[in-house]
Amino acid sequence: MARGLTAARVRQDMDIVARAGLDLDTFLEEAVASVSRAVPWVSACIATQDPVTHMLTSARKYGDLRDRNSHDHEFGLIEYGTVEPTAFTELARAEVPAAGVHLMTNGDVERSGRMGTFMKPHFGFADEARLAFRDGHETWGAMALFRGAGDAPFDAAEIDFLASLAAPFAHGVRTGMLARLVEAAPPASITGPAVLIVGSDDQIVQMSLGAEQRLTELDWGVGGGDPLGPVGALVGAARRFGRGETAVPPRCRMRTTGGMWLVLHAGPLTARGGRQGDVVITIEEARPPEIVAIVVAAYGLSPRERDVVQLVLQGIDTKEIAATLHLSTYTVQDHLKSVFDKANVRSRRELISRVYFDQYVPRMGAELTPTGWFVAREPEPGRVGA
């Protein structure tokens, strides 16, 4: 039961670790262990998401689920290809960011298609509690906690306690995403978008040169989910788009194990020759505007601070920024000071370098490929992030 002194201590611990500047894996390990003291679980899965599209970008597992990845692709198809009140995408915009399946279904957990057709048959779980990592209007990830057949279901007090952790989890995840700098330039063999074709049987039927290499860059290591999980999520969401259930084709921005940002797009293919349900996935290195948007959001800047940063990145000086935003120069300087503090930098130059994570700057001036992108080159000896 998430009550009393234990709950208060766990909430305090969460606030501390969320602001400690930990890398993503370390933060999640400590956070999920802290939660277990107030809300016991037998298994846990934590997903990161694109804060704008809410699409899955990575998964990490704990307890009985650790390293059990054979059904991850199927999970992505179900989670993003169907809708129910406890779906991650629904909790991202629900009034309360946490929910328990047993509570939501009045004890009939099999009314949840996800539990009835996937979680119970494959893993034997009897109940699931979920939390969206929401901070304001942006959702950075989600957590699913599970209990077995012999365990008491999650109660209302535990769900309320989980809801109180939404902001600390969001802060820790978005901070952790920024902790890793780019380790190396992308391999020279990848000079443009990689393409996958997923058939109606949910299997990859075709892929372009470089696609397999891109997929290997999405390996999250020990405890990480199957890198094809986000692909399954995109396929499921693309089919919903094809059926007219959503208005925008799915896409997400995600980081590789080496720290590079990628953008993944998905779209249903027009049926020809009797084929139905095929989906095309495009994977490409993120362009500067994509990175600026997600990194600036990850710093937790106010709307006005974001406006200032956007102009700073364009090389506009303080007086021009003030005139453009109808502010005094003193107010602009105050905003810049706040931005520098949040980004842990001391100057505009450091801010620009920090925003781009050294992803592009080391290759500026390099030869362009026919795609309009920089030729990858080997990092200089002793240089990190080149």
Side-chain angles (χ1 to χ4, degrees):
M1 305 286 280
R3 298 186 177 93
L5 187 59
T6 298
R9 286 176 174 171
V10 169
R11 192 178 292 109
Q12 183 180 42
D13 289 346
M14 280 294 307
D15 287 335
I16 292 172
V17 297
R19 300 179 187 282
L22 302 175
D23 66 86
L24 185 59
D25 287 310
T26 302
F27 165 71
L28 293 178
E29 285 275 2
E30 295 199 14
V32 77
S34 291
V35 169
S36 69
R37 303 197 330 257
V39 183
W41 45 264
V42 295
S43 294
C45 181
I46 294 184
T48 60
Q49 299 172 338
D50 184 301
V52 173
T53 67
H54 303 153
M55 292 301 302
L56 177 70
T57 57
S58 72
R60 291 161 178 82
K61 302 177 183 180
Y62 309 88
D64 292 349
L65 270 180
R66 192 176 183 92
D67 297 324
R68 296 175 67 181
N69 299 338
S70 59
H71 297 288
D72 283 14
H73 183 69
E74 182 182 350
F75 168 80
L77 290 165
I78 293 172
E79 181 69 34
Y80 289 89
T82 59
V83 175
E84 57 183 275
T86 57
F88 290 149
T89 52
E90 296 301 298
L91 288 179
R93 50 180 172 263
E95 182 177 353
V96 177
V101 174
H102 188 275
L103 289 171
M104 292 285 286
T105 61
N106 294 317
D108 185 9
V109 296
E110 293 197 13
R111 282 169 47 196
S112 161
R114 181 183 66 254
M115 289 294 293
T117 65
F118 185 76
M119 291 300 180
K120 287 190 72 173
H122 290 310
F123 305 105
F125 297 138
D127 193 19
E128 177 184 22
R130 286 187 158 199
L131 169 67
F133 304 158
R134 197 169 69 198
D135 187 2
H137 297 294
E138 291 160 339
T139 302
W140 295 88
M143 176 172 65
L145 304 178
F146 301 95
R147 285 180 178 164
D151 302 321
F154 295 98
D155 63 31
E158 291 172 320
I159 299 303
D160 289 343
F161 173 75
L162 290 176
S164 73
L165 302 181
F169 262 109
H171 187 96
V173 169
R174 61 182 173 82
T175 300
M177 288 173 61
L178 305 181
R180 178 187 296 161
L181 293 177
V182 177
E183 296 172 359
S189 60
I190 303 178
T191 57
V195 177
L196 308 173
I197 304 295
V198 178
S200 58
D201 61 354
D202 304 324
Q203 302 299 311
I204 296 175
V205 294
Q206 295 183 70
M207 66 174 62
S208 66
L209 292 176
E212 188 169 3
Q213 189 166 328
R214 280 296 190 208
L215 292 176
T216 63
E217 295 173 354
L218 305 181
D219 185 356
W220 300 298
V222 177
D226 187 338
L228 288 180
V231 172
L234 286 165
V235 170
R239 290 183 178 144
R240 288 195 66 213
F241 172 71
R243 295 192 297 266
E245 298 174 14
T246 56
V248 180
R251 63 192 295 277
C252 67
R253 296 159 294 183
M254 58 196 302
R255 297 198 79 184
T256 68
T257 53
M260 299 292 289
W261 283 98
L262 300 176
V263 180
L264 284 72
H265 308 260
L269 295 175
T270 302
R272 297 190 66 180
R275 294 185 67 90
Q276 297 283 345
D278 289 4
V279 173
V280 60
I281 307 286
T282 303
I283 308 173
E284 57 187 327
E285 186 178 343
R287 268 52 174 177
E290 298 278 2
I291 290 181
V292 169
I294 197 168
V295 172
V296 168
Y299 285 138
L301 306 184
S302 70
R304 186 56 85 185
E305 289 169 349
R306 295 187 189 195
D307 292 339
V308 170
V309 169
Q310 293 284 355
L311 295 174
V312 166
L313 295 176
Q314 296 174 38
I316 298 176
D317 64 27
T318 300
K319 288 185 178 180
E320 290 181 275
I321 293 174
T324 300
L325 300 179
H326 306 290
L327 302 172
S328 71
T329 56
Y330 297 106
T331 301
V332 172
Q333 289 170 345
D334 286 342
H335 284 315
L336 280 173
K337 183 179 183 301
S338 177
V339 169
F340 290 169
D341 288 342
K342 291 178 180 180
N344 194 29
V345 299
R346 294 172 294 178
S347 67
R348 290 175 177 237
R349 183 184 295 273
E350 286 186 23
L351 176 65
I352 293 170
S353 177
R354 185 77 173 101
V355 165
Y356 289 120
F357 289 100
D358 294 330
Q359 178 151 328
Y360 305 110
V361 174
R363 285 175 283 161
M364 291 293 188
E367 179 185 352
L368 293 178
T369 68
T371 66
W373 203 230
F374 296 110
V375 171
R377 65 187 184 192
E378 294 298 321
E380 298 172 12
R383 179 176 176 135
V384 177

